[in-house]
Amino acid sequence: MPAVPQAPERRAHTVVDSPCGPLTLVAEEEHLVGLYMEAQRYRPDDSVFGERLPEPAGPPFAETARQLEEYFAGRRECFDLPLRLHGTPFQRRVWAALREIPHGQTWTYGRLAEHIGRPTASRAVGLANGRNPVGVIVPCHRVIGAGGALTGYGGGVERKRALLEHERALPAAAGALQLPAF
C-alpha cells in the first residue's frame, strides 16, 4: 500500500532584534525550524517562511525571543526550545553534536567529526555545519578551523567572532553584550 503524502506543516515567522542584527524566526506549529540572520548564506527565500507575525507572540516565538535576550545579556548559556530540524540524517547528527560543545569553548571540524564517529569526514561536517538552520541556538559558531582560524560562518565571520568573544567573556557579573552593528 503506497504511503499517503502528508500535508506540509503550517509555517509562520517573525523578526526579533538582536546584537547580531535582525533575526528571522521560523516555526512549524509549535516547533522552531529556523533562525536566520540578514544576508546569511543558505538562507531560504522568505516565501517559504509562511505568514509574518508582527510580534514574537505565542509558541515558540515568545520563548525563543526570551531565551535569545537572556543569551545576549549573558544570563543564558544553552537553549531549551522545541526544535524540528529538517535535514539529512547526517546533518541532524552533526547538529545534535553541535549542542554538545560547551558554552565558551570551541571545537575544530576534525574534533566534531571524531565526536560523531566519522573521523575522516571533517569536510562533510563543515558542510552540514554551514547548513544549520538555527544558528546561535544550535551553536555552529563554536566550530573553528584546525589552526584556530575562524573559517566560514553562514552569518559572516565578524558575527562568528563577536559571538565567540561574547561567550568567552562571560564572567558571572557580565553586563549586556555590545556587538558591532550589522
Side-chain angles (χ1 to χ4, degrees):
M1 188 155 146
V4 177
Q6 291 185 314
E9 297 285 341
R10 184 177 163 264
R11 284 191 173 199
H13 74 285
T14 193
V15 178
V16 297
D17 290 326
S18 83
C20 290
L23 301 175
T24 300
L25 307 178
V26 182
E28 287 179 355
E29 304 304 323
E30 296 184 1
H31 294 89
L32 188 70
V33 297
L35 181 153
Y36 299 100
M37 299 175 184
E38 283 190 329
Q40 180 173 329
R41 187 180 331 138
Y42 305 122
R43 178 186 169 119
D45 187 78
D46 289 3
S47 66
V48 302
F49 293 162
E51 172 190 7
R52 178 166 181 175
L53 305 177
E55 294 184 22
F61 296 132
E63 183 62 15
T64 302
R66 183 183 71 75
Q67 289 189 30
L68 284 166
E69 184 178 310
E70 290 172 355
Y71 170 80
F72 285 117
R75 298 188 312 268
R76 175 173 290 277
E77 294 185 356
C78 61
F79 295 87
D80 181 25
L81 296 164
L83 302 177
R84 181 180 292 155
L85 305 181
H86 298 287
T88 67
F90 180 80
Q91 288 172 326
R92 290 194 310 270
R93 190 165 159 199
V94 169
W95 300 335
L98 289 170
R99 297 184 81 185
E100 297 176 35
I101 303 173
H103 178 73
Q105 294 185 26
T106 57
W107 289 4
T108 64
Y109 293 99
R111 180 173 177 189
L112 187 57
E114 287 176 15
H115 183 75
I116 65 167
R118 300 280 305 273
T120 61
S122 58
R123 239 188 210 128
V125 162
L127 292 171
N129 196 50
R131 295 286 187 167
N132 173 15
V134 287
V136 181
I137 291 169
V138 172
C140 53
H141 59 277
R142 295 180 187 159
V143 183
I144 60 173
L150 298 185
T151 58
Y153 181 62
V157 173
E158 287 307 313
R159 283 188 182 118
K160 181 175 190 165
R161 180 184 330 275
L163 288 166
L164 290 174
E165 286 174 4
H166 165 62
E167 290 188 6
R168 287 193 176 126
L170 271 181
L177 171 65
Q178 299 295 318
L179 293 178
F182 291 98

